[in-house]
Amino acid sequence: MDFTIPDELLELKERTERFVRDEILPRENDKRQGAHGPSEAFRLELVALAKRAGLVSPHVAREWGGLGLDHRGKAVVFEAAGYAPLATIAMNIFAPDEANMHLLEQVADERQQEEFLRPLASGAIRSCFMMTEPAPGAGADPAMLLTAARRASNEAGADFVIDGTKWLITGAVGARFAIIMARTESDPLGPAGATMFLAPMDAPGIHIERVLDTLDTYMTGGHAVVRLDGLRVPETAVLGKVGQGFRYAQVRLAPARLTHCMRWLGAARRAHDIATDYARRRTAFGKPLGEHEGVGFMLADNEMDIHTCRMVIWHAAWVLDQGERGRHESSMAKVICSEAIWRVVDRSMQVLGGLGITDDTIVARLFREVRPFRIYDGPSEVHRWSIAQRVLRGGGAVAS
Ligand SMILES: Cc1cc2nc3c(=O)[nH]c(=O)nc-3n(C[C@H](O)[C@H](O)[C@H](O)COP(=O)(O)OP(=O)(O)OC[C@H]3O[C@@H](n4cnc5c(N)ncnc54)[C@H](O)[C@@H]3O)c2cc1C
């Protein structure tokens, strides 16, 4: 495994760091942010700044306006951007759009790519991904999918009718289109199973019932409950092939888990830097906080957790760059990083004392942000369980 960062990637990393420092940090407390992320006007302003810096959608192929980064390239640039989560919104590399772009690049046909991927990659529009359902539907176990797409009977312009309820759908409010996962019967076009559909959010039959009040606040549009009620879609709305939805979910999720790790690692580094700075300046019992072993050890543990995450992400990215599916590696990275990043932000808060729980630093906000990371894109327990299954079957990590 090669750890060399090529010169052009190094330049991009430094450009991202300059962008974060010069353009994003001064705007971090802009009032046009609420419990559900930045307003659309503010988001578009941020995207315009990133465009000026040549940093929009760096993960997307050049033909769609991106920079064509591979997974290791993303590891470097996304971590740099994650230092200020608003930068990831500006650069159009935040969830769920970033992973949706990856899926559309891999699976959509040319017409769908022109219609959905091109404007999404430019940052002009947003999207959402609808898989999870309230109990007893799909959650940690996606096979419990209840939303159903049935063949329509000879109705003009509609080949499938979709019914169901989705929830925790990030960015549904303000999204231009959705990727919807629904159960389908055996069909001339494919076997019974799950199918992904593309649908405009203003289609009759898509109803946003409510936006949930949640712990986190960065994700644009928040998380919504969406009712699909007689949503009619043509056959051309099928993303990829009928019956392949669960396979495509993995195409999306294996890299998506990793990119979450990359972005939140940048955020953890930020919390650690703020704590370190405080531990140098603040004194107690006659010496700087950092000179007390209890505080110094927290900083040391932060440093080791950050280092471990970076190594684990790099290895998983390397595996994906070799053309492997990387499910095992991305699962392990997701558990290791989501838990380590949580510890780093938690310790940083502790080092800051009372200041840590105020919004006078970004640490409290990051604390609220990284807790859900242990749940979405597969809770830690489910990843541990599936890692164990592979270990028992004799599978394991791809060696380097
Ligand atoms: C911030 C956030 C954003 C999200 N955005 C989206 C989105 O945009 N689109 C979307 O479709 N979904 C989204 N989700 C949903 C997310 O993917 C689900 O929350 C996740 O898959 C878990 O499903 P669940 O909440 O139904 O938990 P449940 O299935 O109810 O599971 C609850 C708990 O049970 C335990 N558990 C489950 N199975 C096992 C097992 N095999 N072994 C041991 N323990 C187990 C785990 O501890 C788990 O946390 C989002 C969630 C969050 C928190």
Side-chain angles (χ1 to χ4, degrees):
M1 200 170 52
D2 186 0
F3 287 95
T4 316
I5 300 181
D7 285 348
E8 63 272 28
L9 185 55
L10 206 54
E11 186 281 321
L12 195 57
K13 171 180 179 272
E14 286 165 1
R15 187 152 28 116
T16 306
E17 286 167 348
R18 273 198 308 278
F19 177 67
V20 166
R21 190 190 59 225
D22 298 342
E23 304 288 4
I24 300 299
L25 294 185
R27 292 175 170 82
E28 224 166 26
N29 293 322
D30 192 294
K31 296 282 177 240
R32 290 168 295 169
Q33 300 176 81
H36 308 303
S39 70
E40 186 60 6
F42 185 36
R43 185 189 76 83
L44 290 171
E45 221 172 276
L46 293 170
V47 170
L49 290 170
K51 220 167 248 179
R52 211 169 59 194
L55 289 171
V56 170
S57 303
H59 59 300
V60 172
R62 288 183 185 276
E63 66 173 304
W64 304 113
L67 298 175
L69 290 180
D70 63 8
H71 296 285
R72 280 166 294 178
K74 285 189 254 183
V76 171
V77 174
F78 286 23
E79 183 194 326
Y83 200 75
L86 263 192
T88 67
I89 295 172
M91 290 167 63
N92 211 22
I93 55 171
F94 207 57
D97 294 320
E98 177 263 322
N100 287 349
M101 285 179 242
H102 176 75
L103 180 65
L104 291 170
E105 267 194 292
Q106 299 294 317
V107 176
D109 63 31
E110 269 179 46
R111 186 197 55 80
Q112 292 169 335
Q113 287 179 334
E114 276 302 332
E115 184 177 347
F116 298 104
L117 176 57
R118 192 172 292 286
L120 188 61
S122 78
I125 63 167
R126 291 197 292 103
S127 63
C128 63
F129 184 76
M130 297 190 188
M131 180 141 100
T132 308
E133 300 165 342
D141 180 1
M144 292 165 72
L145 190 67
L146 291 179
T147 298
R150 295 185 183 79
R151 276 286 180 182
S153 47
N154 298 324
E155 288 162 274
D159 298 307
F160 290 93
V161 180
I162 305 176
D163 290 286
T165 302
K166 301 288 187 181
W167 94 312
L168 287 166
I169 305 307
T170 305
V173 172
R176 186 72 63 80
F177 72 92
I179 300 172
I180 302 169
M181 184 90 139
R183 182 167 292 289
T184 39
E185 299 301 323
S186 170
D187 191 276
L189 294 181
T195 300
M196 286 189 182
F197 295 90
L198 285 157
M201 282 298 285
D202 59 1
I206 300 187
H207 308 278
I208 294 179
E209 296 219 309
R210 67 187 172 108
V211 179
L212 300 155
D213 292 326
T214 54
L215 189 64
D216 62 304
T217 58
Y218 266 111
M219 297 198 188
T220 316
H223 316 286
V225 180
V226 184
R227 185 164 48 85
L228 306 172
D229 189 3
L231 169 65
R232 295 167 185 280
V233 291
E235 224 169 65
T236 52
V238 172
L239 178 57
K241 295 198 168 80
V242 168
Q244 298 297 311
F246 289 130
R247 191 165 71 78
Y248 299 150
Q250 288 309 320
V251 169
R252 181 180 184 277
L253 277 174
R257 288 182 194 120
L258 267 193
T259 53
H260 276 305
C261 297
M262 296 165 187
R263 289 182 293 258
W264 292 130
L265 175 59
R269 202 159 47 76
R270 175 89 175 278
H272 176 52
D273 283 356
I274 292 169
T276 304
D277 180 54
Y278 188 74
R280 283 194 191 109
R281 289 184 296 106
R282 172 75 163 154
T283 55
F285 302 98
K287 55 185 179 180
L289 284 180
E291 300 299 327
H292 292 278
E293 191 174 81
V295 174
F297 277 15
M298 284 197 273
L299 297 177
D301 286 341
N302 276 358
E303 188 77 3
M304 289 187 283
D305 271 339
I306 289 169
H307 184 67
T308 305
C309 290
R310 202 174 279 135
M311 295 296 115
V312 165
I313 291 170
W314 188 264
H315 179 256
W318 174 83
V319 169
L320 292 180
D321 283 336
Q322 308 310 303
E324 303 278 346
R325 287 166 71 201
R327 281 180 67 176
H328 195 61
E329 288 75 13
S330 82
S331 261
M332 292 194 294
K334 163 69 164 64
V335 177
I336 293 168
C337 294
S338 63
E339 295 179 2
I341 286 166
W342 163 256
R343 289 193 297 269
V344 170
V345 177
D346 182 51
R347 284 189 209 108
S348 300
M349 182 176 265
Q350 191 70 15
V351 170
L352 289 170
L355 175 64
I357 61 121
T358 72
D359 283 335
D360 282 10
T361 81
I362 196 175
V363 174
R365 196 166 176 199
L366 296 178
F367 182 86
R368 294 194 289 270
E369 229 45 54
V370 297
R371 180 61 184 86
F373 183 28
R374 284 161 49 196
I375 294 171
Y376 55 72
D377 285 4
S380 293
E381 297 71 29
V382 175
H383 284 294
R384 283 194 165 85
W385 174 70
S386 64
I387 292 165
Q389 296 303 304
R390 280 189 286 267
V391 169
L392 291 168
R393 284 198 304 269
V398 175
S400 53

